[in-house]
């Protein structure tokens, strides 16, 4: 390598979290380099959030339309698969990152294409696509934002069966006649929804007792019910023992516990994520390769004053919006320390501590029905030692829901801290339920007393009127 090129900040990983660190450090006047081996914009832009929602939006819009009198007959036919895939391709930029690169150029960041590795304290080595090598030095901070990759279990025959992961599912060029999906969390539920709507005969194989295990139990139950009504087969308490593919392009046979088999044209494994830290030089700074990177609330790596980790790689909250949030926290902390002050000394917004990762974490699952939650579930609140009460309401009984769709089915729950009378968590399941979530997030993050929420009057007739019904139920 040649002599090190010096920057104030070096960011390792160009997904949404890494991009947001660049945005904050450049806005603070700090010179910044970004290192990325794949596409700038990362997993979310090309193989996760964006393409999956582009695939799901036509499916959910059609489902909503079929519940509206005077419209359902007009949308009785199948989706136009070619148009749906073209819509997906448009939102991924046909897997080109020119727009992101132009933005980085506009803010004055320097992009290094290639594989980056830590080379000891404040040093990052980059090996480019043609074998060229660079050494970068950071005056103030190195930020690791390398994200995660799909985790595949060790099963007989799995490697040879060439299973799909989330990447292959969201970038698929065809819709398989039969698709087996292994897993019960967000990716499995969303991709089962999308491919069922596109015409696949989907079989969802869930090892646990139900879908969406991190949410309230009723969320997974209602989503599973929706999938079955759409034509998917949902099997819970089912373990996969082996996989066999018949030749290079043949059928896949999934062998279940007990010897039963399921045949499919393609097989999607959505069984978790693992950090992309196995080959980024963690061992050169005393950290363990292949593991999650533990950080403090300002996303600084414990025991390393110059090293930060944001996004999925720190395992605080594996969601794009949380990674971007952490990037804003880390960027502000880096800028403050570069200016010679401790971040908390100038932090009137609380902008240097990622409290939302534990206190007010929002999530939407874009299935039919949608499932949305923020904060603690009832079980999690009880495990944490809070004295709580769950207040439930039939979301379909709200006037706005009945006008939104015939036969609207859903459920809402708020979890109340009885000692402080604030909302610790909320869950909504039903068509368009995700649009209710930010109000709940504000209530949880702001610790708004229920006595004040009583005066936040929901507009009539909207689905958000459920807030009034929940508060009425709590007051008795």
């Amino acid at each position: 390598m040649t002599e090190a090129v010096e920057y104030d900040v070096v960011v390792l990983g160009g997904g949404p979290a890494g991009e947001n660190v660049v945005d904050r450090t450049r806005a603070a006047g700090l010179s910044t380099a970004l290192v990325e081996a794949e596409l700038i914009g990362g997993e979310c832009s090309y193989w996760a959030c964006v393409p999956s929602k582009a695939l799901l939006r036509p499916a959910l819009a059609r489902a909503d339309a079929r519940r509206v009198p005077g419209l359902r007959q007009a949308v009785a036919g199948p989706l136009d698969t070619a148009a749906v895939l073209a819509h997906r391709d448009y939102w991924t930029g046909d897997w080109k990152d020119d727009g992101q690169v132009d933005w980085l150029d506009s803010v004055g960041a320097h992009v290094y294409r290639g594989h980056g590795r830590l080379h000891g304290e404040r040093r990052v080595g980059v090996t480019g696509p043609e074998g060229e090598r660079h050494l970068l030095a950071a005056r103030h901070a190195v930020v690791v934002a390398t994200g995660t990759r799909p985790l595949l279990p060790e099963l007989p025959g799995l490697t040879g069966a060439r299973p799909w992961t989330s990447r292959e599912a969201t970038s698929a060029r065809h819709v398989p006649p039969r698709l087996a999906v292994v897993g019960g969390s967000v990716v499995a539920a969303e991709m089962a929804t999308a491919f069922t709507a596109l015409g696949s005969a989907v079989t969802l194989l869930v090892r646990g007792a139900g879908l969406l295990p991190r949410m309230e139990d009723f969320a997974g139950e209602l989503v599973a019910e929706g999938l079955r009504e759409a034509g998917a087969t949902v099997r819970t308490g089912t373990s996969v023992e082996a996989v066999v593919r018949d030749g290079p392009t043949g059928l896949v046979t999934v062998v279940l516990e007990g010897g039963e088999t399921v045949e499919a044209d393609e097989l999607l494994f959505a069984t978790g994520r693992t950090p992309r830290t196995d080959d980024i030089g963690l061992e050169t700074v005393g950290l363990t390769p292949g593991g999650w990177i533990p950080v403090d609330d300002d996303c600084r790596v414990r025991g390393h004053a110059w090293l930060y980790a944001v996004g999925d790689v720190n395992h605080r909250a594996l969601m794009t919006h949380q990674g971007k949030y952490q990037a804003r926290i880390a960027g502000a902390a880096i800028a403050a320390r570069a200016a010679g002050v401790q971040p908390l000394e100038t932090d009137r917004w609380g902008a240097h501590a990622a409290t939302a990762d534990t206190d007010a974490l929002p999530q939407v699952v874009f299935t039919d029905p949608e499932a949305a939650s923020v904060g603690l579930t009832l079980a999690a609140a009880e495990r944490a030692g809070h004295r709580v009460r769950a207040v439930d309401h039939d979301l379909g009984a709200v006037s706005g829901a009945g006008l939104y769709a015939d036969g609207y089915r859903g459920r809402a729950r708020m979890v109340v801290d009885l000692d402080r009378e604030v909302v610790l968590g909320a869950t909504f399941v039903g068509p368009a339920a995700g649009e209710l979530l930010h109000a709940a997030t504000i209530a949880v993050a702001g610790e708004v007393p229920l006595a004040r929420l009583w005066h936040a009057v929901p507009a009539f007739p909207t689905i958000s009127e459920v807030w009034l019904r929940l508060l009425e139920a709590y007051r008795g």
Side-chain angles (χ1 to χ4, degrees):
M1 291 187 189
T2 60
E3 184 177 347
V5 181
E6 196 168 62
Y7 296 90
D8 291 321
V9 180
V10 177
V11 180
L12 189 54
E19 287 181 308
N20 273 263
V21 172
V22 172
D23 184 41
R24 295 300 161 129
T25 55
R26 286 299 300 131
L30 301 177
S31 61
T32 304
L34 178 69
V35 181
E36 174 56 58
E38 295 188 294
L39 295 173
I40 305 294
E43 202 78 12
C44 175
S45 298
Y46 304 104
W47 301 286
C49 324
V50 171
S52 68
K53 303 315 169 282
L55 291 172
L56 285 159
R57 180 59 194 147
L60 301 184
R62 183 182 65 170
D64 278 347
R66 286 177 170 177
R67 300 184 185 103
V68 179
L71 184 57
R72 61 172 59 96
Q73 295 304 318
V75 291
L79 292 174
D80 183 336
T81 299
V84 173
L85 296 183
H87 174 66
R88 183 269 320 270
D89 294 351
Y90 168 80
W91 278 99
T92 59
D94 287 314
W95 288 274
K96 297 182 179 67
D97 60 3
D98 299 352
Q100 269 94 342
V101 173
D102 288 344
W103 172 77
L104 287 167
D105 287 342
S106 75
V107 300
H110 194 114
V111 177
Y112 287 84
R113 297 280 194 176
H115 178 67
R117 299 184 85 256
L118 293 168
H119 277 245
E121 184 172 335
R122 301 175 190 268
R123 295 289 189 273
V124 173
V126 183
T127 302
E130 304 299 326
E132 67 274 24
R133 296 165 68 83
H134 308 274
L135 181 63
L136 314 181
R139 281 184 286 266
H140 297 296
V142 174
V143 183
V144 177
T146 49
T148 58
R149 63 168 61 91
L151 176 64
L152 290 173
E154 294 184 4
L155 284 176
L158 184 59
T159 301
R162 303 181 308 284
W164 283 4
T165 67
S166 55
R167 281 199 167 197
E168 289 77 20
T170 56
S171 62
R173 309 311 306 178
H174 73 287
V175 176
R178 293 176 296 176
L179 175 66
V181 181
V182 180
S185 57
V186 177
V187 171
E190 289 190 344
M191 289 298 94
T193 299
F195 279 92
T196 297
L198 288 168
S200 287
V202 172
T203 301
L204 185 57
L205 304 170
V206 185
R207 185 173 61 180
L211 300 180
L212 309 179
R214 296 181 182 275
M215 288 187 167
E216 301 281 7
D217 289 345
F218 66 81
E221 292 165 3
L222 288 169
V223 169
E225 182 180 315
L227 280 167
R228 290 187 177 106
E229 289 181 355
T233 299
V234 181
R235 300 181 57 172
T236 58
T238 302
S239 293
V240 175
E241 298 293 311
V243 179
V244 179
R245 187 181 283 273
D246 183 16
T249 60
L251 298 180
V252 178
T253 301
V254 183
V255 182
L256 307 180
E257 187 177 28
E260 186 182 355
T261 61
V262 172
E263 286 191 343
D265 298 278
E266 296 292 352
L267 170 65
L268 165 61
F269 263 79
T271 50
R273 309 285 298 182
T274 190
R276 290 179 180 270
T277 60
D278 50 318
D279 188 23
I280 62 167
L282 291 184
E283 69 281 0
T284 70
V285 294
L287 297 173
T288 303
W292 306 101
I293 303 177
V295 297
D296 295 326
D297 281 346
D298 61 358
C299 296
R300 187 161 59 165
V301 179
R302 294 163 191 165
H304 297 76
W306 55 275
L307 184 60
Y308 295 74
V310 297
D312 288 5
V313 76
N314 64 30
H315 206 231
R316 288 172 66 99
L318 276 66
M319 281 170 273
T320 296
H321 48 272
Q322 292 303 117
K324 294 163 70 173
Y325 163 72
Q326 292 170 12
R328 297 192 293 270
I329 299 291
I334 291 167
R337 290 184 173 116
V341 299
Q342 287 301 313
L344 294 177
E345 292 177 2
T346 58
D347 188 12
R348 68 185 181 89
W349 280 55
H352 300 119
T355 56
D357 287 343
T358 53
D359 298 340
L361 176 63
Q363 180 175 22
V364 180
V365 185
F366 293 87
T367 46
D368 180 31
E370 288 182 357
S373 68
V374 63
L376 299 178
T377 63
L378 175 61
E382 290 174 339
R383 286 195 301 269
H386 297 287
R387 194 171 69 90
V388 292
R389 174 185 164 194
V391 183
D392 292 352
H393 191 74
D394 176 3
L395 201 53
V398 176
S399 298
L403 288 165
Y404 185 88
D406 271 4
Y408 188 108
R409 284 180 294 173
R411 185 172 171 185
R413 167 174 289 180
M414 71 175 182
V415 178
V416 178
D417 182 324
L418 293 173
D419 295 319
R420 295 184 295 146
E421 288 205 313
V422 297
V423 182
L424 291 179
T427 300
F428 307 96
V429 183
E435 298 303 330
L436 296 169
L437 191 60
H438 195 57
T441 303
I442 292 170
V444 174
E447 299 180 333
V448 182
L450 296 189
R452 287 305 305 158
L453 282 179
W454 181 252
H455 299 282
V457 182
F460 177 87
T462 64
I463 303 174
S464 61
E465 196 177 2
V466 70
W467 278 103
L468 173 59
R469 304 307 171 208
L470 289 168
L471 291 166
E472 286 176 334
Y474 178 77
R475 291 183 65 184

